Amino acid sequence: MEMIEIGQLAKKASQQLAQLTEEQTNEVLRAIASQLEEDAETILAANAQDMAQAEKDGIEASVQDRMLLTEDRLADMIDAVREIAKLPTPIGNVLTETTHAQGMSIEKTVVPLGVVAMIYEARPNVTVDAAALTFKTNNAVILRGSSSVLKTNMAMINSIQRALIAQRVDEHAIQLLTNTSYEFADQLLTLNGYVDVIIPRGGQGLIQNVVKKATVPVIETGAGNCHLFIDEEANPSMALNIALNAKLQRTSVCNAIETILLHEKFDASPLLAELQKRNVRIYADDADLQGEGVQPVAGWDTEFLNESVRLKRVASVEEAIEHINRYGTKHSEAIITENIAHANQFLQSVDASTVYHNVSTRFTDGFEFGFGAEIGISTQKLHARGPMGLDALTSTKYIVRGNGQTRG
């Protein structure tokens, strides 16, 4: 199928979706969840084929972890669809209502974006999350995932489209590009008139390619070069627990930390010992942080996505903020301190979508924020920022009602 035809079908489907009631939308989402559940064995078998090919191709372990579907992961994805169905829709909400001097009412209402395109890497959960969130907000979606999980994505989309057909909904409301070539994907970036917004989700290379080439509006999601600053007045036990969680609870995700900034008066020896005990690759230039197995820092802007971390001494909260604002990707940044003034200075001055005081960065997630799931984490400042749920997939229109008013 040509890209223009895919766009036309999505546009047509979006017009049907705009007419669905909230209850109809929720009923379809419940049907999608049930169909995915029914087809779980087929989906997991397809993923096993993708994983076998990944192993054969020598794809690195951190990427394979993002590709992998287990029974529990698939069950969580299906549960998320059901949770999204339970959420109140923002569509149709009246944000403001005023009455003009001539008597007509002016309402600012929430409406769907129309057609959303998602370009993403490796994560099959994005396929289901994006399908459910866009459908809940009456948007059609065109999905372009990685070739590495094509069999998995095709199995899930086949299941979802069967549910749509059974519910008498145009199956082109949720489409997957099976041609995963870069050239074909680039055509999607310029499908003005059919696609209303593009959301890239993946590594920095993918995101920048979309931003540079797209003529369709882009909501930019960011790579996660995230930091943890441990202040001189940090609780040592809390600092250790949060540092280990933020780095190691799941290393292949964008909200895992890649650099730990340590106040020069904070005793880092327990943290160093725990990191080494857990076979974490440590990079540090400061003399007191160096030792057996510690390597010099090659650069401060790498997103490792594995069991690696950089350590750096700083003299003050100001120096920590300066470092983060220089090298961070505006994703998630945290401070550990008992000093409220230092915490507030950090929270107000660090330029990031999500900032934390005495909390692990691993909570930057749509599900954790109560959104049911997320379409991505926006690191830009226009339209949406941070974990994006239903509200980020909407726009507004003004509805004006009158009885014959004209402007003199």
Side-chain angles (χ1 to χ4, degrees), residues 236-394:
S237 176
M238 179 192 295
L240 178 61
N241 289 337
I242 289 178
L244 294 175
N245 178 265
K247 177 66 255 183
L248 297 175
Q249 193 265 339
R250 191 174 179 192
T251 60
S252 63
V253 291
C254 58
N255 57 22
I257 59 170
E258 309 293 18
T259 298
I260 301 174
L261 302 173
L262 299 151
H263 193 280
E264 60 187 12
K265 293 182 180 179
F266 182 81
D267 180 9
S269 54
L271 175 60
L272 271 170
E274 280 296 324
L275 291 173
Q276 290 170 331
K277 178 181 175 182
R278 296 165 190 248
N279 298 314
V280 176
R281 289 180 292 276
I282 302 171
Y283 299 85
D285 292 337
D286 300 274
D288 73 307
L289 301 175
Q290 294 178 336
E292 185 177 352
V294 178
Q295 303 175 50
V297 175
W300 295 103
D301 54 1
T302 303
E303 185 184 20
F304 293 120
L305 299 174
N306 59 33
E307 290 79 12
S308 301
V309 69
R310 291 177 292 261
L311 304 181
K312 178 181 175 62
R313 286 292 190 185
V314 293
S316 63
V317 64
E318 290 83 6
E319 187 179 345
I321 293 168
E322 181 182 0
H323 180 98
I324 291 169
N325 285 342
R326 179 176 180 183
Y327 294 107
T329 51
K330 306 184 189 302
H331 195 293
S332 302
E333 311 291 355
I335 180 174
I336 312 301
T337 187
E338 297 303 302
N339 185 312
I340 297 301
H342 285 183
N344 289 337
Q345 183 180 358
F346 183 95
L347 299 175
Q348 292 166 9
S349 300
V350 166
D351 185 10
S353 80
T354 312
V355 288
Y356 294 90
H357 174 210
N358 291 346
V359 182
S360 170
T361 58
R362 286 287 289 114
F363 285 96
T364 307
D365 178 271
F367 182 81
E368 294 291 343
F369 279 26
F371 302 160
E374 70 183 21
I375 201 76
I377 297 170
S378 171
T379 55
Q380 65 183 33
K381 296 183 180 180
L382 296 178
H383 179 68
R385 199 178 197 201
M388 294 186 292
L390 300 177
D391 288 340
L393 295 169
T394 67

Side-chain angles (χ1 to χ4, degrees), residues 35-48:
Q35 190 66 57
L36 288 168
E37 208 163 49
E38 183 178 324
D39 296 337
E41 187 175 337
T42 300
I43 293 166
L44 292 172
N47 185 250

Side-chain angles (χ1 to χ4, degrees), residues 74 117 119 123 140 291 345 375 393 405:
L74 181 56
I119 300 179
R123 299 177 184 276
Q345 183 180 358
I375 201 76
L393 295 169
Q405 288 89 342

Side-chain angles (χ1 to χ4, degrees), residues 63-363:
V63 178
Q64 288 196 42
D65 177 64
R66 297 197 293 273
M67 294 170 55
L68 178 64
L69 271 188
T70 63
E71 289 185 9
D72 287 344
R73 287 185 182 182
L74 181 56
D76 287 344
M77 290 158 54
I78 294 168
D79 286 345
V81 176
R82 292 192 169 112
E83 288 303 312
I84 290 167
K86 295 176 184 177
L87 295 173
T89 181
I91 301 301
N93 287 348
V94 178
L95 301 178
T96 62
E97 184 174 5
T98 59
T99 301
H100 190 271
Q102 290 196 40
M104 65 272 202
S105 67
I106 303 172
E107 298 176 351
K108 184 179 183 181
T109 62
V110 179
V111 296
L113 289 169
V115 177
V116 177
M118 280 285 300
I119 300 179
Y120 53 103
E121 295 175 334
R123 299 177 184 276
N125 66 291
V126 176
T127 302
V128 174
D129 289 350
L133 288 167
T134 52
F135 193 86
K136 176 73 177 185
T137 46
N138 297 44
N139 291 292
V141 67
I142 301 171
L143 302 166
R144 193 277 188 185
S146 297
S147 58
S148 59
V149 284
L150 180 59
K151 289 183 173 63
T152 307
N153 285 338
M154 287 177 64
M156 292 190 297
I157 291 300
N158 286 340
S159 182
I160 289 169
Q161 289 184 332
R162 282 200 298 277
L164 293 178
I165 292 168
Q167 293 292 314
R168 296 183 177 84
V169 174
D170 188 340
E171 70 268 30
H172 300 106
I174 301 172
Q175 298 183 76
L176 174 74
L177 301 187
T178 55
N179 180 343
T180 57
S181 71
Y182 295 128
E183 294 77 15
F184 198 62
D186 284 349
Q187 294 179 39
L188 186 60
L189 306 182
T190 57
L191 207 60
N192 298 72
Y194 300 102
V195 173
D196 294 285
V197 67
I198 294 174
I199 304 174
R201 184 170 171 180
Q204 196 65 26
L206 178 148
I207 294 166
Q208 289 308 309
N209 179 69
V210 171
V211 170
K212 290 176 181 177
K213 293 182 179 179
T215 56
V216 174
V218 176
I219 299 177
E220 184 175 350
T221 63
N225 185 23
C226 304
H227 300 74
L228 176 69
F229 170 49
I230 302 177
D231 189 31
E232 64 176 314
E233 297 184 49
N235 177 299
S237 176
M238 179 192 295
L240 178 61
N241 289 337
I242 289 178
L244 294 175
N245 178 265
K247 177 66 255 183
L248 297 175
Q249 193 265 339
R250 191 174 179 192
T251 60
S252 63
V253 291
C254 58
N255 57 22
I257 59 170
E258 309 293 18
T259 298
I260 301 174
L261 302 173
L262 299 151
H263 193 280
E264 60 187 12
K265 293 182 180 179
F266 182 81
D267 180 9
S269 54
L271 175 60
L272 271 170
E274 280 296 324
L275 291 173
Q276 290 170 331
K277 178 181 175 182
R278 296 165 190 248
N279 298 314
V280 176
R281 289 180 292 276
I282 302 171
Y283 299 85
D285 292 337
D286 300 274
D288 73 307
L289 301 175
Q290 294 178 336
E292 185 177 352
V294 178
Q295 303 175 50
V297 175
W300 295 103
D301 54 1
T302 303
E303 185 184 20
F304 293 120
L305 299 174
N306 59 33
E307 290 79 12
S308 301
V309 69
R310 291 177 292 261
L311 304 181
K312 178 181 175 62
R313 286 292 190 185
V314 293
S316 63
V317 64
E318 290 83 6
E319 187 179 345
I321 293 168
E322 181 182 0
H323 180 98
I324 291 169
N325 285 342
R326 179 176 180 183
Y327 294 107
T329 51
K330 306 184 189 302
H331 195 293
S332 302
E333 311 291 355
I335 180 174
I336 312 301
T337 187
E338 297 303 302
N339 185 312
I340 297 301
H342 285 183
N344 289 337
Q345 183 180 358
F346 183 95
L347 299 175
Q348 292 166 9
S349 300
V350 166
D351 185 10
S353 80
T354 312
V355 288
Y356 294 90
H357 174 210
N358 291 346
V359 182
S360 170
T361 58
R362 286 287 289 114
F363 285 96

